[in-house]
Amino acid sequence: MTPAETLMRFRAVMGSSTSPLGPSEAWLGEVVVHSEDIRRPLGIVREAPLDVLGPIATFFARRNFTVNSRSMIEGLRVEASDGPVVAGDGPLVTGTTLALMMAMAGRGAYCDELTGPGVETLRARCAS
């Protein structure tokens, strides 16, 4: 497909109300995580709204679904520095909601944006 054909297909389904089965936070998380996977290496920065990221990060902290996000932070406490996301018990990991969410999705590069005594544990989990 050409880029124009891809864009045409995206535009054709923009008003669609069908979705895969399962929690919408999981699927929205897939979109956000994979878009960040593309943007970050290209140096494209986009500020996603916290009202979108917060529910995804909270879902990731509570449940393994499309990624082993809950397992990534097991025994750790995560706290967002820019929003209300707080989960878990144990050594603290603090950072932006996006950085926490991406680390919970196994993206170790985002651990560089996190602080606290639990970061090295999370970094090791991302690497395995």
Side-chain angles (χ1 to χ4, degrees), residues 5-58:
E5 290 169 326
T6 301
L7 181 58
M8 181 181 70
R9 289 183 71 187
F10 279 133
R11 285 185 173 147
V13 298
M14 281 178 52
S16 174
S17 61
T18 60
S19 66
L21 296 176
S24 58
E25 296 89 353
W27 303 119
L28 182 56
E30 285 290 302
V31 171
V32 173
V33 168
H34 292 303
S35 67
E36 284 297 313
D37 288 342
I38 295 165
R39 284 188 186 103
R40 187 176 179 107
L42 296 174
I44 300 170
V45 177
R46 180 181 186 286
E47 295 290 326
L50 286 176
D51 63 333
V52 171
L53 296 180
I56 297 168
T58 299

Side-chain angles (χ1 to χ4, degrees), residues 8-118:
M8 181 181 70
R9 289 183 71 187
F10 279 133
R11 285 185 173 147
V13 298
M14 281 178 52
S16 174
S17 61
T18 60
S19 66
L21 296 176
S24 58
E25 296 89 353
W27 303 119
L28 182 56
E30 285 290 302
V31 171
V32 173
V33 168
H34 292 303
S35 67
E36 284 297 313
D37 288 342
I38 295 165
R39 284 188 186 103
R40 187 176 179 107
L42 296 174
I44 300 170
V45 177
R46 180 181 186 286
E47 295 290 326
L50 286 176
D51 63 333
V52 171
L53 296 180
I56 297 168
T58 299
F59 177 83
F60 279 12
R62 291 185 181 148
R63 188 166 169 199
N64 291 333
F65 188 73
T66 55
V67 293
N68 291 328
S69 49
R70 182 183 53 79
S71 296
M72 293 295 273
I73 62 164
E74 190 170 331
L76 300 173
R77 178 173 178 80
V78 296
E79 292 184 8
S81 58
D82 60 351
V85 176
V86 176
D89 293 304
L92 181 63
V93 177
T94 304
T96 65
T97 304
L98 178 64
L100 290 171
M101 187 187 79
M102 294 299 289
M104 285 188 276
R107 284 18 183 217
Y110 287 82
C111 290
D112 293 341
E113 300 173 23
L114 303 173
T115 60

